[in-house]
Amino acid sequence: MSFKAFTDYLLLEKNYSALTVNAYENDLTNFYEFVKDEYETNTINKVNYAQIRSWIVFLVEQGISNRSINRKISALNTYYKFLLKIGEIKINPLAKHKALKTSKKIQVPFSEDEVMTVLNSLYFENDFEGIRDKLIIELFYSTGIRRIELVELKLTSVNLDNKTLKVLGKRNKERIVPLLASVVQTLNKYLEARCNLESIKDANNLFLTKKGVKIYETLVYRIINDYFSLASSKVKKSPHILRHSFATHLLNKGADLNAVKELLGHSSLAATQIYTHNSIAELKKVHVSTHPRGKK
């Protein structure tokens, strides 16, 4: 079953990223395979809610988390809304569906000491990969950009004169983020090392592998995990945790929530407010330790 009209709609009209569109297509294909096997149908356009519910039960029995199931159902719901829009169906079978309950996960950021231990350490080799890896960590921590945003950075994204970085975020929304002087210094060092690569295939992309091809998301994750494993005992060590640390540390120092929202590329304050949990905890600690009656 082809979902091309739907994926074209997501890419061209809704401006979804290719990564998101691929995820949606995979979810739809998985559901199609399920109803084809269970109900011997060659389409998912005419299924009812009971059939969708049986897929949900199947996913639960497979050990899929409620959060992941909700994401899959969200993809399916978006598809049915598209079919309604173009007149293919008259009723959305998911119109009255309620998402499965999920527990809120508290993301534990790296401490300032943990980040500084990595950045000020001798962990980085003085070669292309070592310089690149340090720059990646510095960029995550000093700008709060997302992993996919870092992967998609171009050479033209960097403005060394103004010390800024043009970032293409969700829904192709551009934002300009400032670069610290220390990051510009590492960036210049990286660009010099990049020029000395034996061959460069993806010349437009800022971050490359040592083979000269565009860096990929799993490698970026591995870089963060490997270096922070040397300095942190936290269970989760990922680019997102470093982004989380960026926001939390700014808020701990008194940064304005709206300013942090703009730097992160959030569309609403609600998305940024999840980072205030840790800053409030820090404020409580400071309050108790500094107030005249705090230790009484």
Short mmCIF file of all heavy atoms in Angstrom, two decimals, residues 146-189:
data_model
loop_
_atom_site.label_atom_id
_atom_site.label_comp_id
_atom_site.label_asym_id
_atom_site.label_seq_id
_atom_site.Cartn_x
_atom_site.Cartn_y
_atom_site.Cartn_z
N ARG A 146 19.36 20.89 18.74
CA ARG A 146 18.97 19.49 18.70
C ARG A 146 19.98 18.69 17.90
O ARG A 146 20.71 19.23 17.07
CB ARG A 146 17.58 19.33 18.06
CG ARG A 146 16.48 20.08 18.78
CD ARG A 146 15.16 19.95 18.01
NE ARG A 146 14.04 20.60 18.70
CZ ARG A 146 13.68 21.86 18.49
NH1 ARG A 146 14.34 22.62 17.63
NH2 ARG A 146 12.65 22.37 19.14
N ARG A 147 19.96 17.37 18.11
CA ARG A 147 20.91 16.50 17.39
C ARG A 147 20.72 16.59 15.88
O ARG A 147 21.69 16.75 15.14
CB ARG A 147 20.73 15.05 17.86
CG ARG A 147 21.58 14.05 17.08
CD ARG A 147 21.62 12.67 17.70
NE ARG A 147 20.30 12.14 18.02
CZ ARG A 147 20.09 10.84 18.32
NH1 ARG A 147 21.10 10.00 18.35
NH2 ARG A 147 18.88 10.41 18.60
N ILE A 148 19.46 16.52 15.40
CA ILE A 148 19.22 16.58 13.96
C ILE A 148 19.62 17.94 13.40
O ILE A 148 20.09 18.05 12.27
CB ILE A 148 17.74 16.25 13.62
CG1 ILE A 148 17.52 16.15 12.10
CG2 ILE A 148 16.79 17.26 14.25
CD1 ILE A 148 18.29 15.06 11.42
N GLU A 149 19.45 18.99 14.20
CA GLU A 149 19.84 20.33 13.75
C GLU A 149 21.35 20.41 13.57
O GLU A 149 21.83 21.03 12.62
CB GLU A 149 19.37 21.37 14.77
CG GLU A 149 17.85 21.53 14.82
CD GLU A 149 17.37 22.41 15.96
OE1 GLU A 149 18.17 22.70 16.89
OE2 GLU A 149 16.19 22.81 15.94
N LEU A 150 22.09 19.78 14.47
CA LEU A 150 23.55 19.77 14.35
C LEU A 150 23.99 18.99 13.12
O LEU A 150 24.86 19.42 12.37
CB LEU A 150 24.18 19.19 15.61
CG LEU A 150 25.71 19.14 15.62
CD1 LEU A 150 26.28 19.62 16.94
CD2 LEU A 150 26.22 17.73 15.33
N VAL A 151 23.37 17.83 12.92
CA VAL A 151 23.72 16.98 11.77
C VAL A 151 23.50 17.71 10.45
O VAL A 151 24.27 17.57 9.51
CB VAL A 151 22.89 15.67 11.81
CG1 VAL A 151 23.00 14.91 10.49
CG2 VAL A 151 23.34 14.79 12.95
N GLU A 152 22.43 18.53 10.40
CA GLU A 152 22.06 19.20 9.15
C GLU A 152 22.75 20.56 8.95
O GLU A 152 22.50 21.23 7.94
CB GLU A 152 20.54 19.41 9.10
CG GLU A 152 19.74 18.11 9.04
CD GLU A 152 20.03 17.30 7.79
OE1 GLU A 152 20.39 17.91 6.75
OE2 GLU A 152 19.90 16.06 7.84
N LEU A 153 23.62 20.97 9.85
CA LEU A 153 24.31 22.25 9.69
C LEU A 153 25.16 22.26 8.42
O LEU A 153 25.82 21.27 8.08
CB LEU A 153 25.22 22.52 10.90
CG LEU A 153 24.54 22.93 12.22
CD1 LEU A 153 25.58 23.03 13.33
CD2 LEU A 153 23.80 24.26 12.05
N LYS A 154 25.14 23.40 7.72
CA LYS A 154 25.96 23.58 6.52
C LYS A 154 27.12 24.52 6.84
O LYS A 154 27.11 25.23 7.85
CB LYS A 154 25.12 24.18 5.39
CG LYS A 154 23.79 23.49 5.15
CD LYS A 154 23.95 22.06 4.73
CE LYS A 154 22.58 21.43 4.45
NZ LYS A 154 22.65 19.96 4.33
N LEU A 155 28.09 24.56 5.96
CA LEU A 155 29.19 25.53 6.11
C LEU A 155 28.64 26.95 6.11
O LEU A 155 29.12 27.83 6.83
CB LEU A 155 30.21 25.36 4.98
CG LEU A 155 31.23 24.22 5.14
CD1 LEU A 155 32.07 24.11 3.88
CD2 LEU A 155 32.12 24.43 6.35
N THR A 156 27.60 27.15 5.30
CA THR A 156 27.01 28.49 5.20
C THR A 156 26.17 28.86 6.42
O THR A 156 25.71 29.99 6.54
CB THR A 156 26.11 28.58 3.94
OG1 THR A 156 25.16 27.49 3.96
CG2 THR A 156 26.94 28.50 2.68
N SER A 157 25.96 27.88 7.33
CA SER A 157 25.21 28.17 8.55
C SER A 157 26.02 29.02 9.52
O SER A 157 25.48 29.67 10.40
CB SER A 157 24.82 26.86 9.26
OG SER A 157 24.06 26.01 8.43
N VAL A 158 27.34 29.00 9.33
CA VAL A 158 28.25 29.67 10.26
C VAL A 158 28.60 31.07 9.76
O VAL A 158 28.97 31.26 8.61
CB VAL A 158 29.56 28.86 10.43
CG1 VAL A 158 30.50 29.56 11.39
CG2 VAL A 158 29.25 27.45 10.90
N ASN A 159 28.46 32.05 10.64
CA ASN A 159 28.89 33.42 10.34
C ASN A 159 29.95 33.79 11.37
O ASN A 159 29.63 34.19 12.49
CB ASN A 159 27.71 34.39 10.40
CG ASN A 159 28.08 35.79 9.92
OD1 ASN A 159 29.20 36.27 10.16
ND2 ASN A 159 27.15 36.45 9.26
N LEU A 160 31.21 33.62 10.99
CA LEU A 160 32.30 33.87 11.93
C LEU A 160 32.45 35.35 12.25
O LEU A 160 32.87 35.70 13.36
CB LEU A 160 33.61 33.32 11.36
CG LEU A 160 33.72 31.79 11.30
CD1 LEU A 160 34.98 31.37 10.57
CD2 LEU A 160 33.68 31.19 12.69
N ASP A 161 32.12 36.22 11.31
CA ASP A 161 32.22 37.67 11.55
C ASP A 161 31.27 38.11 12.66
O ASP A 161 31.64 38.89 13.55
CB ASP A 161 31.93 38.46 10.27
CG ASP A 161 33.01 38.25 9.21
OD1 ASP A 161 34.16 37.98 9.61
OD2 ASP A 161 32.68 38.33 8.02
N ASN A 162 30.04 37.62 12.60
CA ASN A 162 29.04 37.99 13.60
C ASN A 162 29.00 37.05 14.79
O ASN A 162 28.25 37.27 15.75
CB ASN A 162 27.64 38.04 12.97
CG ASN A 162 27.51 39.17 11.97
OD1 ASN A 162 28.22 40.16 12.05
ND2 ASN A 162 26.61 39.01 11.01
N LYS A 163 29.78 35.96 14.69
CA LYS A 163 29.79 34.93 15.75
C LYS A 163 28.38 34.40 16.00
O LYS A 163 27.88 34.36 17.12
CB LYS A 163 30.39 35.48 17.04
CG LYS A 163 31.87 35.85 16.92
CD LYS A 163 32.43 36.34 18.24
CE LYS A 163 33.90 36.72 18.07
NZ LYS A 163 34.48 37.27 19.32
N THR A 164 27.73 33.98 14.90
CA THR A 164 26.38 33.43 14.99
C THR A 164 26.26 32.15 14.17
O THR A 164 27.09 31.88 13.30
CB THR A 164 25.31 34.43 14.50
OG1 THR A 164 25.61 34.80 13.14
CG2 THR A 164 25.24 35.65 15.39
N LEU A 165 25.20 31.41 14.47
CA LEU A 165 24.93 30.17 13.79
C LEU A 165 23.47 30.17 13.35
O LEU A 165 22.57 30.44 14.15
CB LEU A 165 25.18 28.99 14.74
CG LEU A 165 25.17 27.57 14.18
CD1 LEU A 165 26.38 27.35 13.26
CD2 LEU A 165 25.20 26.55 15.32
N LYS A 166 23.22 29.89 12.06
CA LYS A 166 21.85 29.80 11.56
C LYS A 166 21.41 28.35 11.66
O LYS A 166 22.03 27.46 11.08
CB LYS A 166 21.79 30.26 10.10
CG LYS A 166 20.37 30.30 9.53
CD LYS A 166 20.35 30.52 8.04
CE LYS A 166 20.86 31.91 7.67
NZ LYS A 166 20.78 32.12 6.19
N VAL A 167 20.35 28.13 12.42
CA VAL A 167 19.87 26.77 12.69
C VAL A 167 18.51 26.57 12.05
O VAL A 167 17.61 27.41 12.19
CB VAL A 167 19.78 26.52 14.21
CG1 VAL A 167 19.29 25.10 14.49
CG2 VAL A 167 21.13 26.76 14.87
N LEU A 168 18.36 25.45 11.34
CA LEU A 168 17.07 25.11 10.74
C LEU A 168 16.37 24.13 11.66
O LEU A 168 16.77 22.98 11.79
CB LEU A 168 17.27 24.49 9.35
CG LEU A 168 16.00 24.25 8.52
CD1 LEU A 168 15.31 25.57 8.22
CD2 LEU A 168 16.34 23.52 7.23
N GLY A 169 15.32 24.60 12.34
CA GLY A 169 14.64 23.78 13.34
C GLY A 169 13.43 23.06 12.79
O GLY A 169 13.29 22.83 11.59
N LYS A 170 12.53 22.68 13.70
CA LYS A 170 11.32 21.96 13.32
C LYS A 170 10.45 22.83 12.42
O LYS A 170 10.42 24.04 12.54
CB LYS A 170 10.53 21.57 14.58
CG LYS A 170 11.21 20.47 15.40
CD LYS A 170 10.34 20.05 16.57
CE LYS A 170 10.97 18.88 17.32
NZ LYS A 170 10.14 18.44 18.46
N ARG A 171 9.74 22.16 11.51
CA ARG A 171 8.88 22.84 10.53
C ARG A 171 9.67 23.85 9.69
O ARG A 171 9.13 24.86 9.26
CB ARG A 171 7.70 23.54 11.22
CG ARG A 171 6.91 22.64 12.18
CD ARG A 171 6.03 21.65 11.45
NE ARG A 171 5.35 20.76 12.36
CZ ARG A 171 4.15 21.00 12.91
NH1 ARG A 171 3.54 22.13 12.65
NH2 ARG A 171 3.57 20.12 13.69
N ASN A 172 10.96 23.57 9.50
CA ASN A 172 11.84 24.43 8.69
C ASN A 172 11.90 25.87 9.19
O ASN A 172 12.06 26.81 8.41
CB ASN A 172 11.41 24.41 7.21
CG ASN A 172 11.70 23.08 6.55
OD1 ASN A 172 12.66 22.40 6.91
ND2 ASN A 172 10.88 22.68 5.61
N LYS A 173 11.76 26.04 10.49
CA LYS A 173 11.82 27.37 11.08
C LYS A 173 13.27 27.71 11.42
O LYS A 173 13.94 27.00 12.14
CB LYS A 173 10.96 27.41 12.35
CG LYS A 173 10.87 28.78 12.98
CD LYS A 173 9.99 28.74 14.23
CE LYS A 173 9.95 30.10 14.90
NZ LYS A 173 9.13 30.08 16.15
N GLU A 174 13.74 28.83 10.85
CA GLU A 174 15.13 29.25 11.08
C GLU A 174 15.25 30.10 12.34
O GLU A 174 14.35 30.87 12.67
CB GLU A 174 15.65 30.06 9.89
CG GLU A 174 16.02 29.24 8.69
CD GLU A 174 16.71 30.06 7.60
OE1 GLU A 174 16.78 31.30 7.76
OE2 GLU A 174 17.16 29.47 6.62
N ARG A 175 16.37 29.94 13.04
CA ARG A 175 16.68 30.84 14.15
C ARG A 175 18.19 31.10 14.15
O ARG A 175 18.97 30.28 13.66
CB ARG A 175 16.23 30.25 15.48
CG ARG A 175 16.98 29.01 15.96
CD ARG A 175 16.36 28.49 17.26
NE ARG A 175 17.11 27.39 17.86
CZ ARG A 175 17.04 26.13 17.49
NH1 ARG A 175 16.24 25.79 16.49
NH2 ARG A 175 17.76 25.19 18.10
N ILE A 176 18.56 32.23 14.68
CA ILE A 176 19.97 32.60 14.78
C ILE A 176 20.39 32.50 16.24
O ILE A 176 19.74 33.07 17.12
CB ILE A 176 20.21 34.05 14.28
CG1 ILE A 176 19.69 34.21 12.84
CG2 ILE A 176 21.69 34.41 14.37
CD1 ILE A 176 20.43 33.39 11.81
N VAL A 177 21.45 31.74 16.50
CA VAL A 177 21.94 31.60 17.88
C VAL A 177 23.37 32.15 17.96
O VAL A 177 24.16 32.00 17.02
CB VAL A 177 21.91 30.14 18.37
CG1 VAL A 177 20.48 29.62 18.45
CG2 VAL A 177 22.73 29.23 17.47
N PRO A 178 23.70 32.81 19.06
CA PRO A 178 25.05 33.38 19.21
C PRO A 178 26.08 32.30 19.53
O PRO A 178 25.75 31.27 20.13
CB PRO A 178 24.88 34.35 20.39
CG PRO A 178 23.75 33.78 21.18
CD PRO A 178 22.82 33.13 20.20
N LEU A 179 27.31 32.55 19.13
CA LEU A 179 28.42 31.64 19.42
C LEU A 179 29.38 32.29 20.41
O LEU A 179 29.77 33.44 20.23
CB LEU A 179 29.18 31.27 18.14
CG LEU A 179 28.41 30.47 17.08
CD1 LEU A 179 29.26 30.33 15.83
CD2 LEU A 179 28.00 29.10 17.62
N LEU A 180 29.74 31.54 21.44
CA LEU A 180 30.71 32.04 22.40
C LEU A 180 32.09 32.12 21.75
O LEU A 180 32.39 31.36 20.80
CB LEU A 180 30.78 31.12 23.62
CG LEU A 180 29.49 30.95 24.44
CD1 LEU A 180 29.69 29.91 25.52
CD2 LEU A 180 29.07 32.28 25.04
N ALA A 181 32.94 33.00 22.25
CA ALA A 181 34.29 33.17 21.69
C ALA A 181 35.08 31.86 21.75
O ALA A 181 35.81 31.53 20.82
CB ALA A 181 35.02 34.27 22.46
N SER A 182 34.90 31.09 22.81
CA SER A 182 35.63 29.82 22.96
C SER A 182 35.18 28.81 21.89
O SER A 182 35.98 28.02 21.39
CB SER A 182 35.40 29.23 24.35
OG SER A 182 34.02 29.05 24.59
N VAL A 183 33.89 28.87 21.55
CA VAL A 183 33.36 27.96 20.51
C VAL A 183 33.90 28.36 19.14
O VAL A 183 34.27 27.50 18.33
CB VAL A 183 31.81 27.98 20.51
CG1 VAL A 183 31.27 27.08 19.40
CG2 VAL A 183 31.28 27.53 21.86
N VAL A 184 33.96 29.66 18.88
CA VAL A 184 34.51 30.16 17.61
C VAL A 184 35.96 29.71 17.46
O VAL A 184 36.39 29.33 16.36
CB VAL A 184 34.41 31.70 17.54
CG1 VAL A 184 35.15 32.24 16.31
CG2 VAL A 184 32.94 32.13 17.49
N GLN A 185 36.70 29.73 18.56
CA GLN A 185 38.10 29.29 18.53
C GLN A 185 38.21 27.82 18.13
O GLN A 185 39.01 27.45 17.27
CB GLN A 185 38.72 29.52 19.91
CG GLN A 185 40.22 29.29 19.96
CD GLN A 185 40.80 29.61 21.34
OE1 GLN A 185 40.12 30.13 22.21
NE2 GLN A 185 42.06 29.29 21.54
N THR A 186 37.37 26.97 18.75
CA THR A 186 37.37 25.54 18.41
C THR A 186 36.86 25.32 17.00
O THR A 186 37.35 24.45 16.27
CB THR A 186 36.49 24.75 19.40
OG1 THR A 186 36.89 25.05 20.73
CG2 THR A 186 36.64 23.25 19.19
N LEU A 187 35.89 26.13 16.58
CA LEU A 187 35.33 26.04 15.23
C LEU A 187 36.39 26.33 14.18
O LEU A 187 36.50 25.62 13.17
CB LEU A 187 34.15 27.02 15.10
CG LEU A 187 33.38 27.07 13.78
CD1 LEU A 187 32.88 25.70 13.37
CD2 LEU A 187 32.23 28.04 13.90
N ASN A 188 37.17 27.36 14.39
CA ASN A 188 38.26 27.69 13.45
C ASN A 188 39.27 26.56 13.36
O ASN A 188 39.76 26.22 12.28
CB ASN A 188 38.96 28.98 13.88
CG ASN A 188 38.19 30.23 13.44
OD1 ASN A 188 37.65 30.27 12.33
ND2 ASN A 188 38.12 31.23 14.30
N LYS A 189 39.56 25.96 14.50
CA LYS A 189 40.51 24.84 14.54
C LYS A 189 39.95 23.64 13.78
O LYS A 189 40.66 22.95 13.05
CB LYS A 189 40.79 24.47 16.01
CG LYS A 189 41.99 23.55 16.21
CD LYS A 189 42.28 23.37 17.69
CE LYS A 189 43.47 22.44 17.89
NZ LYS A 189 43.74 22.18 19.33
#
